[in-house]
Amino acid sequence: MKQRIYIDTSVIGGYYDTEFEVATKKLFDRIINKDFSIYFSEVNETELILAPSHIREVKDLIPTDCLTFIEMTDEVEILAQTYISEKALGKASENDAYHIALSSVNRLDCLVSWNFKHIVNFDKIKMFNSINLRLGYPLIDIRSPLEFLKDEN
């Protein structure tokens, strides 16, 4: 069974970011090869509206038969606001809270992000998981694209 991963918008932007480009393109090689089921949301879509067209077009590299669009629900809203009210994230990071809540509520295998300040952060992940466990959600696995590189040997 394919891993079900949610990619946040930083992964899309990383495709053309000199710091993250190599690892992001290797992840996308695996996505194009259909190694994963990819999950995307209206939060991603909203964040991409202001991006240059070449960044928006990166999403089109994801095979449509491997792409699932997940929607905001009241359950996602409540969990995201809980991350904020319990200070796992600040109000300014509301979209990050939504990405995490979407992944948690939909019980996805992993959330992939380049956001080391608010998402791929050991202390933050502990807080997200503490909240998730208390509220009956599974632990959320959060990784950077670097952890999806295959051993070339």
Side-chain angles (χ1 to χ4, degrees):
M1 186 166 161
K2 292 182 191 178
Q3 286 187 326
R4 300 173 326 125
I5 64 173
Y6 181 98
I7 57 173
D8 80 357
T9 315
S10 70
V11 176
I12 302 294
Y15 199 86
Y16 292 109
D17 184 303
T18 54
E19 182 179 0
F20 302 124
E21 179 178 13
V22 171
T24 302
K25 287 183 176 178
K26 286 184 179 186
L27 172 63
F28 267 88
D29 287 344
R30 293 191 68 195
I31 291 169
I32 291 164
N33 286 331
K34 302 182 180 184
D35 288 355
F36 311 105
S37 294
I38 302 299
Y39 288 74
F40 214 72
S41 73
E42 65 187 80
V43 179
N44 298 96
E45 298 287 356
T46 300
E47 290 176 334
L48 285 173
I49 287 172
L50 299 176
S53 62
H54 70 284
I55 300 293
R56 290 192 311 268
E57 291 167 2
V58 171
K59 180 189 168 208
D60 297 336
L61 297 173
I62 304 168
T64 55
D65 59 335
C66 293
L67 181 63
T68 301
F69 187 83
I70 51 178
E71 298 195 17
M72 290 289 293
T73 63
D74 291 342
E75 186 178 6
V76 170
E77 176 73 29
I78 290 166
L79 183 56
Q81 293 307 317
T82 301
Y83 295 144
I84 292 167
S85 68
E86 296 194 15
K87 309 235 183 295
L89 291 169
K91 187 70 173 164
S93 301
E94 190 169 47
N95 281 356
D96 297 333
Y98 287 131
H99 290 306
I100 297 157
L102 282 156
S103 299
S104 296
V105 167
N106 288 282
R107 292 167 162 70
L108 300 180
D109 297 316
C110 190
L111 184 160
V112 182
S113 176
W114 282 119
N115 183 337
F116 295 110
K117 184 174 183 182
H118 299 123
I119 298 178
V120 189
N121 175 302
F122 180 75
D123 293 328
K124 299 280 187 188
I125 293 168
K126 284 174 50 177
M127 294 171 76
F128 305 142
N129 281 327
S130 174
I131 293 165
N132 281 6
L133 287 177
R134 193 178 75 249
L135 298 178
Y137 296 102
L139 296 173
I140 180 72
D141 195 6
I142 299 175
R143 307 292 175 139
S144 80
L146 289 170
E147 296 185 68
F148 286 86
L149 301 180
K150 282 192 166 184
D151 186 4
E152 303 285 324
N153 296 329

